[in-house]
Amino acid sequence: MIRARVFALLAVFLALASPAAAQKRIALSFDDVPRAPGAFMTPQQRTDRLIAALRRAGVRQVAFFVNPGNLQQPWGAGRESQIAAYVRAGHVIANHTFDHPHLSEIGAAAFIANLDRAASWLNGRPGFRPWFRFPFLDEAAGDPATRDAVRAALRERHLHDGYVTLDSLDWLLDNLIGQAHAAGRPMDMNALRDLYVRTVVEAAEFADRLSREALHRQPIQVVLMHETDLEALFVGDAVAALRAHGWQIVPIDQAYRDPIAAAEPDSPFLGTRIGALASLPGQPHRELSPPANRIDLVTEAFNREVLHLPASAASH
Ligand SMILES: [Zn+2]
């Protein structure tokens, strides 16, 4: 008995002392599927490259959050085959509403009708998972009545919150690429890759630090990405850089079995699950987002590093 207790204590001590106990795990998720054509690729080219890049990188299972309404866009016709191709490649699909409304703008009833419309397209499809991701990560965090009405509706439908714990900010870079492309500006693609990869790694490292400080554990992180040309081009580089920083890429099914998946934080913080948990009453004041997620800083970095604009021009 005493010996068992000594061993148990020893095991706890070793777990605390060993650097091997540091466990940085992360899963990948991609929103807004199918997404509009990008600056460099058609939707079909992008899907083919993204699937190949994930396979080459040894990433077995990611989630694609679908907006079935996009299939009705002029560029969306026939894109069901793209979604089926992700599933055939071993990935899973989930609900991101029908056409991507802001919950805070349209209110609970219209929002719930919108997600039901997406569900009627998704339910029963191969690869479907009962997860729901809020467009713009807008859970009406500042409006508890709306927030709770949607949470109740999700529970009734057996849908689980497809939360994220960090943001790649790829949506911002994709916008900046689109503007530069439309203006005919040359882009330094190596610098673009490095900026994208740096943003992902810094956001992941920040989320890991925040988790250890606020939760005293290392939950499985979930990174928010989108189905953009950036991912088709550089997701393999991002995965390699994460691994070089000690991260293990895990299937998204495993990520959403983490204990933080069951939390329904009563926090006004809009955005990441860990940020919401780290800002609950009683927690000390902390930065909840990394500098790598600051729109002004990333835009400046894009102008300087990718467009090679002089600092004075870049500030306008
Ligand atoms: Zn979205």
Side-chain angles (χ1 to χ4, degrees):
M1 189 66 190
I2 288 173
R3 192 191 285 184
R5 200 172 293 165
V6 170
F7 275 122
L9 280 173
L10 193 64
V12 168
F13 175 75
L14 287 174
L16 291 173
S18 162
Q23 228 192 346
K24 299 197 289 191
R25 293 164 299 171
I26 189 167
L28 276 47
S29 67
F30 299 84
D31 283 13
D32 304 358
V33 179
R35 219 159 177 271
F40 308 120
M41 291 176 222
T42 66
Q44 187 62 51
Q45 289 168 333
R46 191 169 54 202
T47 292
D48 294 344
R49 289 190 67 150
L50 185 52
I51 289 173
L54 290 168
R55 188 174 54 232
R56 272 199 307 275
V59 178
R60 296 209 320 275
Q61 187 207 55
V62 305
F64 290 93
F65 285 87
V66 178
N67 296 123
N70 288 355
L71 297 165
Q72 298 177 356
Q73 298 287 335
W75 43 262
R79 298 290 101 217
E80 290 92 341
S81 62
Q82 217 174 297
I83 297 168
Y86 289 130
V87 173
R88 277 199 306 277
H91 305 299
V92 296
I93 56 175
N95 192 329
H96 193 39
T97 71
F98 188 76
D99 56 10
H100 216 271
H102 254 298
L103 170 56
S104 299
E105 287 170 12
I106 70 166
F111 188 82
I112 292 162
N114 201 293
L115 75 87
D116 278 342
R117 203 171 165 202
S120 69
W121 189 89
L122 279 159
N123 286 344
R125 290 208 179 240
F128 171 71
R129 291 292 185 275
W131 303 330
F132 177 73
R133 175 157 301 161
F134 287 86
F136 310 101
L137 305 179
D138 175 6
E139 295 185 57
D143 172 1
T146 299
R147 180 198 67 191
D148 292 347
V150 174
R151 281 180 177 176
L154 293 178
R155 270 196 301 274
E156 272 169 33
R157 290 157 177 75
H158 307 288
L159 284 170
H160 304 277
D161 185 3
Y163 59 87
V164 312
T165 67
L166 63 121
D167 191 343
S168 68
L169 230 67
D170 61 339
W171 56 271
L172 173 64
L173 289 174
D174 192 56
N175 284 349
L176 295 170
I177 291 166
Q179 289 165 20
H181 182 72
R185 288 185 188 277
M187 283 178 261
D188 181 336
M189 296 302 280
N190 289 332
L192 178 61
R193 176 198 61 215
D194 293 348
L195 176 57
Y196 168 72
V197 167
R198 192 172 80 218
T199 306
V200 171
V201 171
E202 286 182 8
E205 292 289 306
F206 179 92
D208 181 58
R209 272 195 306 278
L210 185 61
S211 301
R212 284 186 281 114
E213 284 174 23
L215 312 182
H216 309 292
R217 59 180 291 265
Q218 290 173 293
I220 301 178
Q221 307 286 345
V222 177
V223 55
L224 168 62
M225 294 175 165
H226 295 77
E227 190 200 36
T228 77
D229 293 358
L230 270 174
E231 270 73 20
L233 289 167
F234 304 132
V235 76
D237 299 284
V239 164
L242 285 167
R243 286 181 176 140
H245 284 78
W247 289 89
Q248 183 192 351
I249 315 297
V250 302
I252 190 86
D253 273 342
Q254 189 182 337
Y256 284 145
R257 287 196 291 266
D258 193 284
I260 62 169
E264 290 193 333
D266 186 12
S267 161
F269 178 73
L270 187 74
T272 67
R273 171 60 48 95
I274 292 164
L277 292 169
S279 58
L280 288 175
Q283 288 275 353
H285 174 77
R286 295 188 181 93
E287 290 298 325
L288 303 175
S289 305
N293 279 175
R294 270 184 51 187
I295 290 172
D296 58 339
L297 295 182
V298 174
T299 303
E300 275 173 36
F302 179 86
N303 288 337
R304 192 174 58 242
E305 297 168 22
V306 178
L307 301 184
H308 298 303
L309 295 181
S312 55
S315 67
H316 293 291

